[in-house]
Amino acid sequence: MSITLPPLPDTLNARRVVDHLPTVIESIRRNIANIGDRNPRIGRADNSWDYCDQYDWVSSFWTGELWLSYQITGESIFKNSANLRKRYFANMLLDPFWLDHDLGFQYSLSCVAGHKLTGDEEYKMMAIRAADHLIHRFRKIGGYIVAWNDTHPLGPEITQGKSIIDSLQNTALLFWASKVTGSPVYAEAATRHCRTMAKHIVRDDYSTYHSFNFHPVTQEPIKGETFQGYADDSCWARGQSWAIHGFAQTYLYTGDETFLETAKRLAKYAVEQITPDGVPVWDYSLPEHETQYKDSSAGAITAAGLLLISQCIDDVTEARQYRDWGLFLLQGLMKQCDLTLDPTAHGLLANGASFVKVGLCDNMLPYGDYYYLEALMRANGYTEFFW
């Protein structure tokens, strides 16, 4: 089904956006020495990084940037730096009680990437082990993947029946595992989970909840709510972006057109809310009296999702709409948030909103940086990634 997006609110300089990719690669190259063998977690005020402990969900995004840079350039400096992190991800698998649904982020962008680009069998086996841990979080009766562990601050009576919108990216690890092992069970669980999310976490107007609660015993659906968004009935911008990219990606794995249509309608909702500068506010339902913090990470993920959708559409005219909107969001990030020409900055984008409710509202974010690079690659015609 063709879905028409609103007209762009500004003149788009598509060539300038497309041509920005080499500048981003050079910024990543420059920061290899600054970052060393560590994994960025969140930016500091001076645009350096705080770094991850052992089980942080964001630990793979810098590694993903390195592998993408290696994919583009073939230069060993990127491969070698990515390989420095192999032991980190091997050690993470030693204590499964700390693992949660973010295994998809952690191992798709590290071990799946390393296996795809180098053929390393150890990376392959590590990623399959991670997929095995992830599939054990799938609830057959409810048809969803449990997001968090019973040690989460919300408590086991909530978390053991909770799934969150980020999971729509984490399912990529399960689809990959089905392909490399020949076992359909991983993909079947991932597909059922995505259908459950489409039914419960996507609202009738194609805004989204951050999370959805099921009864932890009976698996009956209870309600949608938020953890990081403004309110239970608001629309957290980064959550919407996870869903746009995730459902489009699920369409590529399954060929089910309903997933692509859902991604398109979610994208339409998002671009109708985005301000004319092209950078989303952190929650699309934020009241005017609240501080209008921007979230460059939501902008980068949405841009990557829009460009992914455009690559899924056969109709040239319709595909052009999604591509142009994706380029427009990238242009907004380039104008307002880009740090690549700042020699003191250890990341790519400023103005990320990690968790506004606890004061993390204007930071570099490694996931924003990763999707910025992915989106620029898609703008340049790349279609093969680690998802």
Side-chain angles (χ1 to χ4, degrees):
M1 177 182 291
S2 178
I3 296 171
T4 302
L5 300 181
L8 290 170
D10 194 12
T11 301
L12 172 64
N13 186 342
R15 175 48 54 191
R16 181 172 179 270
V17 174
V18 170
D19 288 347
H20 191 53
L21 180 59
T23 303
V24 169
I25 296 296
E26 287 309 305
S27 179
I28 294 169
R29 184 199 308 277
R30 182 179 71 239
N31 280 312
I32 287 174
N34 293 322
I35 294 170
D37 63 353
R38 298 170 293 181
N39 300 307
R41 184 177 68 87
I42 192 168
R44 299 170 178 159
D46 64 355
N47 287 332
S48 64
W49 292 109
D50 277 333
Y51 291 96
C52 295
D53 294 325
Q54 182 60 63
Y55 296 96
D56 204 301
W57 77 273
V58 308
S59 56
S60 65
F61 289 103
W62 168 247
T63 312
E65 289 177 61
L66 293 168
W67 282 124
L68 287 181
S69 299
Y70 175 63
Q71 179 180 336
I72 293 168
T73 67
E75 295 180 22
S76 294
I77 186 174
F78 299 110
K79 179 181 69 173
N80 293 342
S81 185
N83 280 330
L84 283 176
R85 288 148 177 84
K86 179 187 277 190
R87 190 51 45 203
Y88 176 95
F89 293 102
N91 289 339
M92 190 182 297
L93 293 169
L94 298 178
D95 190 350
F97 295 106
W98 285 96
L99 304 176
D100 61 20
H101 79 142
D102 287 318
L103 285 156
F105 284 129
Q106 292 161 332
Y107 286 86
S108 292
L109 299 183
S110 60
C111 296
V112 172
H115 174 66
K116 282 188 172 182
L117 294 182
T118 71
D120 185 307
E121 286 296 307
E122 186 179 8
Y123 276 135
K124 177 182 176 181
M125 297 312 298
M126 288 165 61
I128 291 172
R129 283 185 62 196
D132 287 339
H133 286 300
L134 182 56
I135 199 171
H136 281 109
R137 306 185 70 84
F138 179 69
R139 299 294 182 260
K140 289 184 179 180
I141 295 174
Y144 66 94
I145 295 168
V146 174
W148 295 324
N149 295 329
D150 53 9
T151 55
H152 191 279
L154 289 177
E157 67 277 9
I158 298 296
T159 60
Q160 295 313 285
K162 181 181 284 291
S163 195
I164 69 172
I165 203 164
D166 315 38
S167 63
L168 291 161
Q169 294 281 262
N170 287 313
T171 51
L173 181 65
L174 298 178
F175 285 115
W176 171 85
S178 268
K179 182 177 180 180
V180 298
T181 66
S183 172
V185 297
Y186 301 97
E188 288 167 359
T191 303
R192 275 197 67 198
H193 171 77
C194 292
R195 289 194 178 121
T196 300
M197 292 296 96
K199 180 178 180 181
H200 293 297
I201 217 162
V202 178
R203 302 188 184 105
D204 290 344
D205 65 351
Y206 290 91
S207 65
T208 51
Y209 294 110
H210 176 196
S211 69
F212 198 89
N213 294 344
F214 300 85
H215 191 285
V217 177
T218 68
Q219 304 299 304
E220 289 294 315
I222 299 175
K223 65 176 181 176
E225 59 183 15
T226 198
F227 186 68
Q228 287 183 255
Y230 178 74
D232 287 346
D233 60 353
S234 72
C235 183
W236 180 45
R238 177 151 41 95
Q240 188 83 4
S241 71
W242 294 136
I244 293 166
H245 195 293
F247 280 118
Q249 194 68 51
T250 304
Y251 163 72
L252 287 182
Y253 287 122
T254 65
D256 186 336
E257 292 280 348
T258 61
F259 289 125
L260 180 58
E261 182 178 345
T262 299
K264 290 179 183 179
R265 293 188 181 278
L266 291 163
K268 184 174 187 292
Y269 178 91
V271 299
E272 288 174 344
Q273 316 307 317
I274 290 172
T275 50
D277 62 4
V279 182
V281 174
W282 72 278
D283 193 298
Y284 289 133
S285 309
L286 195 66
E288 291 184 2
H289 69 269
E290 296 285 348
T291 303
Q292 304 292 302
Y293 292 112
K294 295 290 189 174
D295 186 8
S296 58
S297 74
I301 302 162
T302 303
L306 287 161
L307 289 158
L308 168 56
I309 291 170
S310 75
Q311 293 171 335
C312 295
I313 299 172
D314 292 328
D315 181 87
V316 175
T317 301
E318 185 187 11
R320 181 64 180 269
Q321 294 181 80
Y322 290 89
R323 175 175 170 80
D324 284 351
W325 265 101
L327 295 176
F328 177 74
L329 265 61
L330 284 172
Q331 180 174 271
L333 294 172
M334 289 169 60
K335 286 181 177 179
Q336 298 181 71
C337 310
D338 187 278
L339 297 170
T340 57
L341 297 181
D342 180 351
T344 69
H346 294 183
L348 304 178
L349 292 175
N351 309 118
S354 171
F355 198 163
V356 173
K357 289 181 177 180
V358 299
L360 302 176
C361 48
D362 191 9
N363 304 90
M364 297 187 307
L365 299 172
Y367 37 94
D369 286 2
Y370 167 83
Y371 282 94
Y372 190 42
L373 175 57
E374 179 183 315
L376 285 165
M377 288 177 65
R378 291 188 185 279
N380 278 270
Y382 287 87
T383 58
E384 295 297 321
F385 293 88
F386 315 130
W387 305 113

